[in-house]
Amino acid sequence: MSRKPLAVPIALIALLVTVLALPAAADGDRDDDGADGDRRERAVRFATYNASLNRFNEGDLVRDLSTPDDAQARKVAEVVQRTRPDVLLVNEFDYDAAGEAADLFRENYLEVAQNGASPVDYPYVFVAPSNTGIPSGHDLDNRNGVGGPGDAFGFGFFPGQFGMVVFSRYPIDIDAARTFQRFRWADMPGAMLPDDPARPGPADWYSPEELEDVRLSSKSHWDLPIEVGDDDTVHFLVSHPTPPVFDGPEDRNGTRNHDEIRFWADYVGSRKRSRYIYDDEGGRGGLRPGARFVIAGDQNADPRDGDSVPGAVQQLLDHPRVNDRDTPASAGAVQAAATQPGNEGHASPPQFDTADFGEPPGNLRVDYVLPSKQLRIRDSAVFWPRAGDPHADLVDASDHRLVWVEVRRADDD
């Protein structure tokens, strides 16, 4: 059967793989082959990884992945092989319309043993366009000219830079998948639109003409129904909100980050709360009440530290439908916070950090895997070994760490 994508978004058809997980080793290293011999409970491991597999020029990622020799991609693949998620979101993976980069990453890296780690096979893949690098035709950064990455619908030097991809061992219901790339920011009720402090009046950074076009998602928001068993679907809700920095006193990136996170809070909320939402095909409303979900992605917001709008990520962490009782952690993050400058005075517990940033802002918790309350958390971790521990050399593949949560249905008890 061909492994080449037929359309975008794509789902590559193959045999259903039912994966039953063993308990994980310390700091996220999963040393089994993904199969539970007793098969007494169904467990599915969801993960997010900002792998920094973005490149400076269009086509560079396809070129780099066309051989099995890219050092960074090999490390990223080894992290995936050692944690063995069943469903994986990769942020900062440049988009191409043919899905060629995703295919090459699987064939030349994930399906090839890296330093003794077992290959991992993902028969199902989803890619779709990203707002990054798509010209808006407006001077969105108000720098007296139209053009360049700051005037794109999402920051990027070419269309699809910093995009995302989902790999899955389970089928993706492509017909029921929803994307929200073109949802307009101004169509969110009570949107936190940025204000130009040099002008009178509120929320006036963007002109009325610009607000007719400005999109909420800096990349996109996707609702991907994952068929984890017979008549059993978990909606994988993925995104990558813009960093709340690289702007000015108007805080246009901070406010956008807040509302990109809010989108999922509204989407999984009540029908009244989500009724304003529309997808790229014109479908209205949010997630069906009672549907199981996992929200995942680099949200670029720490609960207590960093530059995000206060309370931005709490919109998800404190949501009545979200299960955040078992926070993924690592020993490596604790060590890093204690030995690296820039982490003094942080309020968030260091064991929950997921990204190793420079000074400032220091290390932060910005990557999340948040299941719905119908899903019991069986185990979780951040892949961040301590210096000197096995596989510690892998963490420099990206400034982010892979985060995973393993869940089972609450009614499986």
Side-chain angles (χ1 to χ4, degrees):
M1 184 174 293
S2 172
R3 299 296 298 275
K4 294 299 181 183
L6 300 179
V8 177
I10 60 171
L12 303 180
I13 306 303
L15 294 177
L16 170 64
V17 180
T18 302
V19 181
L20 303 169
L22 285 172
D27 283 323
D29 190 356
R30 187 182 191 180
D31 57 6
D32 62 280
D33 63 0
D36 183 339
D38 291 336
R39 297 181 182 267
R40 291 180 179 174
E41 61 181 5
R42 179 183 301 148
V44 183
R45 183 171 292 193
F46 291 86
T48 185
Y49 190 11
N50 182 332
S52 298
L53 283 171
N54 58 279
R55 297 295 185 259
F56 291 110
N57 301 293
E58 190 169 10
D60 281 359
L61 183 61
V62 169
R63 180 202 64 200
D64 290 350
L65 299 181
S66 64
T67 75
D69 302 323
D70 185 84
Q72 182 203 11
R74 291 188 65 181
K75 285 190 173 184
V76 170
E78 186 176 349
V79 170
V80 175
Q81 291 175 355
R82 296 199 178 279
T83 53
R84 309 194 75 77
D86 301 311
V87 186
L88 169 67
L89 165 67
V90 180
N91 287 133
E92 295 198 4
F93 190 99
D94 293 343
Y95 166 79
D96 66 276
E100 189 175 1
D103 269 351
L104 290 169
F105 185 55
R106 288 186 307 166
E107 295 166 5
N108 290 335
Y109 294 91
L110 295 174
E111 296 173 2
V112 177
Q114 306 293 339
N115 292 318
S118 298
V120 61
D121 182 30
Y122 292 109
Y124 307 96
V125 180
F126 186 95
V127 296
S130 170
N131 281 324
T132 46
I134 297 179
S136 70
H138 300 287
D139 181 16
L140 298 184
D141 57 11
N142 288 352
R143 293 184 177 178
N144 299 317
V146 176
D151 289 333
F153 283 120
F155 185 91
F157 289 89
F158 60 85
Q161 189 182 28
F162 311 110
M164 54 188 185
V165 57
V166 168
F167 299 97
S168 179
R169 291 179 173 175
Y170 295 97
I172 301 170
D173 185 353
I174 200 75
D175 292 333
R178 303 178 73 188
T179 65
F180 303 90
Q181 179 197 7
R182 296 190 294 272
F183 179 86
R184 296 191 317 164
W185 192 358
D187 289 336
M188 172 178 277
M192 191 179 285
L193 297 171
D195 177 66
D196 186 347
R199 300 176 184 173
D204 58 358
W205 177 263
Y206 298 117
S207 69
E209 293 77 19
E210 289 170 339
L211 286 176
E212 288 293 319
D213 295 330
V214 170
R215 300 172 181 180
L216 173 65
S217 295
S218 53
K219 289 81 179 177
S220 190
H221 286 66
W222 300 343
D223 174 356
L224 305 183
I226 309 295
E227 299 174 349
V228 298
D230 295 337
D231 299 319
D232 191 0
T233 296
V234 175
H235 291 258
F236 199 37
L237 309 179
V238 302
S239 60
H240 182 192
T242 193
V245 289
F246 311 121
D247 49 19
E250 82 288 345
D251 197 22
R252 68 184 187 278
N253 290 332
T255 55
R256 187 180 192 179
N257 172 274
H258 175 279
D259 282 357
E260 286 193 75
I261 295 171
R262 177 191 154 188
F263 180 90
W264 286 136
D266 291 349
Y267 189 76
V268 302
S270 67
R271 287 181 174 174
K272 180 178 180 181
R273 185 173 176 179
S274 64
R275 64 186 177 188
Y276 71 88
I277 293 173
Y278 54 87
D279 61 37
D280 292 332
E281 301 300 321
R284 306 288 305 194
L287 192 64
R288 175 180 57 82
R292 299 179 178 91
F293 63 83
V294 173
I295 300 171
D298 173 7
Q299 304 295 336
N300 270 314
D302 183 280
R304 303 173 70 183
D305 302 315
D307 297 307
S308 59
V309 172
V313 80
Q314 280 84 347
Q315 296 176 102
L316 299 179
L317 299 179
D318 298 338
H319 197 286
R321 291 197 64 193
V322 169
N323 180 2
D324 187 41
R325 296 185 63 182
D326 185 1
T327 304
S330 73
V334 176
Q335 181 190 54
T339 58
Q340 296 173 346
N343 296 288
E344 304 85 357
H346 276 196
S348 291
Q351 65 267 30
F352 301 147
D353 288 344
T354 69
D356 186 354
F357 295 135
E359 181 185 1
N363 301 344
L364 300 174
R365 181 189 181 193
V366 294
D367 305 271
Y368 298 84
V369 180
L370 301 170
S372 59
K373 286 189 173 176
Q374 306 100 312
L375 298 170
R376 297 287 181 89
I377 298 176
R378 186 172 184 247
D379 203 356
S380 68
V382 178
F383 185 86
W384 197 335
R386 293 169 295 187
D389 285 353
H391 319 310
D393 61 310
L394 299 177
V395 300
D396 66 359
S398 171
D399 52 357
H400 292 254
R401 308 293 179 255
L402 184 146
V403 180
W404 60 261
V405 171
E406 194 167 274
V407 299
R408 56 191 172 93
R409 297 179 303 181
D411 56 9
D412 281 344
D413 294 338

